[in-house]
Structures are given as structure tokens and as C-alpha cells.
Amino acid sequence: YDFCYLPCDFGAQENQGIAFVNFSSSLRALELLQAWHRCRCFGAGTAAISVAPAVVQGLEANCRTFGARLRRVRNPRFRPFFLCIPQDGSSATSG
């Protein structure tokens, strides 16, 4: 993946229970769907995980949608994760 954002409740300082992940491969997205959709991996009394495609698709679109408005978030723990791949092919992260 090259983008991951877990929206947080700033008051409680906890995740809201949802995540947005942009996969760089449709095969990897399908693998996650098959492995996690309707899974009750956090215990018998917990809700099943629901995996669904987001309205916003692609790294650039996610950067436009989430990047600009979340730059005001000061705590780096609450910012989205972006994987930036420089021209030389090495990887670097930003948030």
C-alpha cells in the first residue's frame, strides 16, 4: 500500500474504527478483502470487519482529499501515512 489513514476521535485520542488504505495493486486489495471481510478476528463478542472500496481511489486522489485538510493536525500520530517513492526507486515516508 502507499496510503493509510485511520481517522481519530481527537477528544478520546482513539481511532474511530475505520481505515482508508490505498493498495498499489488490485491483487493485494483482493487478498485483503478475502482474508479480512466479515472476519471476527478481535473476539467472539466483537463486530465483524467490513471491507469495502472507498469512493476516492488512487494515491494522488487520496493526497488531494486527505492531505491538504489534515496538514493542520499537529500530532503526527493522527496524520495519514503516505509512502513517497523517489525517482531513484528508494522509499521514504511522510505524514
Side-chain angles (χ1 to χ4, degrees):
Y1 63 92
D2 52 15
F3 172 83
C4 182
Y5 175 49
L6 285 78
C8 291
D9 176 328
F10 295 109
Q13 295 191 3
E14 294 179 349
N15 178 274
Q16 293 179 4
I18 60 174
F20 299 91
V21 179
N22 186 71
F23 289 91
S24 52
S25 157
S26 57
L27 175 62
R28 297 290 181 231
L30 179 61
E31 289 173 347
L32 179 111
L33 175 72
Q34 292 171 339
W36 287 84
H37 187 59
R38 297 188 177 161
C39 174
R40 293 187 184 273
C41 56
F42 298 108
T46 62
I49 294 173
S50 176
V51 177
V55 172
V56 177
Q57 294 288 316
L59 177 60
E60 289 182 21
N62 278 293
C63 288
R64 282 192 306 273
T65 300
F66 293 106
R69 72 178 178 190
L70 293 174
R71 284 192 180 93
R72 64 185 177 161
V73 176
R74 294 182 184 172
N75 188 333
R77 289 183 12 198
F78 298 142
R79 291 185 188 144
F81 166 86
F82 297 93
L83 177 65
C84 302
I85 302 176
Q87 296 294 340
D88 65 6
S90 63
S91 64
T93 59
S94 66

